[in-house]
Amino acid sequence: GIQVEQSPPDLILQEGANSTLRCNFSDSVNNLQWFHQNPWGQLINLFYIPSGTKQNGRLSATTVATERYSLLYISSSQTTDSGVYFCAVQEAGTYKYIFGTGTRLKVLA
Amino acid sequence: DGGITQSPKYLFRKEGQNVTLSCEQNLNHDAMYWYRQDPGQGLRLIYYSQIVNDFQKGDIAEGYSVSREKKESFPLTVTSAQKNPTAFYLCASSEGNTYGYTFGSGTRLTVV
């Protein structure tokens, strides 16, 4: 099956700093999503981005499907950005999404 | 407000008991999913359903069962056959397979 690797596994930032999170996947995919899981476990969909670039406030994402990677950019980070960021890819021809193991982000005040 | 409701938030199970986790959505989504998350890990797919009265096994279906009798509801039963059921269980829904997920707030199951 598809392998999904996220890097870095852990990241500590000072408030106001920028960061880039990476998601590599091993095979062609139909779709890709980025999620943020807060400290209470709630998962919020950040982007549905099978290809191209999208922006939402301080967050933006780019997926280059032909090169099998996606990037999530966080600018001017805030303490509320802390949590785990997951990338999930959908296997071609199925409804199944495969999740990476996440990037754990901590933003310090 | 539209969303997904999971209940209960916390559940304790004795060895050998079956328990059922509830997942209800009022988003009119066709597809629903159950995922399991272990500490420090990503999510693994247990079961999913694309339409009422139909569901498919995911990657870790052994020891679990589901039903989809109504569009709004997709309950998960953790049976006594599941060897290591202690985990965080998350339910999600989507309009179809080309749309993003909406997740519920999860149920933390502990075997005592």
Side-chain angles (χ1 to χ4, degrees):
Chain A
I2 292 179
Q3 304 299 311
V4 182
E5 295 183 357
Q6 292 186 241
S7 60
D10 296 282
L11 187 58
I12 299 176
L13 298 174
Q14 205 65 39
E15 199 168 28
N18 302 329
S19 62
T20 301
L21 283 57
R22 187 176 180 100
C23 173
N24 291 334
F25 41 96
S26 61
D27 206 346
S28 299
V29 298
N30 281 348
N31 296 300
L32 185 145
Q33 300 185 64
W34 281 98
F35 295 92
H36 174 229
Q37 186 170 39
N38 68 22
W40 298 272
Q42 178 72 53
L43 275 153
I44 302 297
N45 186 304
L46 298 174
F47 293 102
Y48 173 80
I49 185 166
S51 63
T53 297
K54 290 186 177 180
Q55 180 150 9
N56 185 2
R58 296 182 295 104
L59 303 181
S60 64
T62 295
T63 297
V64 184
T66 53
E67 297 187 22
R68 299 179 185 170
Y69 74 88
S70 183
L71 302 173
L72 178 69
Y73 306 96
I74 304 174
S75 65
S76 304
S77 58
Q78 301 175 358
T79 56
T80 52
D81 294 332
S82 296
V84 184
Y85 290 80
F86 288 105
C87 163
V89 301
Q90 186 182 42
E91 289 187 337
T94 78
Y95 271 56
K96 293 171 55 175
Y97 273 88
I98 309 300
F99 280 72
T101 52
T103 292
R104 190 172 303 272
L105 173 65
K106 186 165 187 176
V107 180
L108 304 175
Chain B
D1 287 339
I4 299 182
T5 301
Q6 289 188 243
S7 62
K9 287 193 182 305
Y10 299 93
L11 186 57
F12 296 90
R13 191 195 92 171
K14 292 183 179 179
E15 296 272 358
Q17 282 184 336
N18 294 352
V19 290
T20 297
L21 283 58
S22 171
C23 178
E24 303 275 336
Q25 55 100 356
N26 60 3
L27 299 165
N28 201 33
H29 285 172
D30 288 318
M32 297 186 74
Y33 314 82
W34 276 105
Y35 282 87
R36 168 181 171 140
Q37 186 178 28
D38 293 288
Q41 302 295 315
L43 280 67
R44 292 183 291 166
L45 182 63
I46 304 172
Y47 270 98
Y48 64 100
S49 168
Q50 299 170 224
I51 197 169
V52 175
N53 292 323
D54 184 55
F55 49 82
Q56 310 293 329
K57 290 183 179 180
D59 298 318
I60 56 165
E62 185 175 351
Y64 301 96
S65 65
V66 294
S67 63
R68 186 87 187 275
E69 297 176 1
K70 298 186 300 181
K71 187 175 186 177
E72 303 80 21
S73 179
F74 191 40
L76 174 74
T77 296
V78 184
T79 75
S80 56
Q82 171 48 237
K83 300 301 181 200
N84 185 20
T86 295
F88 186 45
Y89 291 88
L90 288 150
C91 179
S93 71
S94 67
E95 285 191 48
N97 69 339
T98 57
Y99 294 89
Y101 279 7
T102 299
F103 274 95
S105 56
T107 293
R108 294 190 187 277
L109 173 63
T110 303
V111 173
V112 297

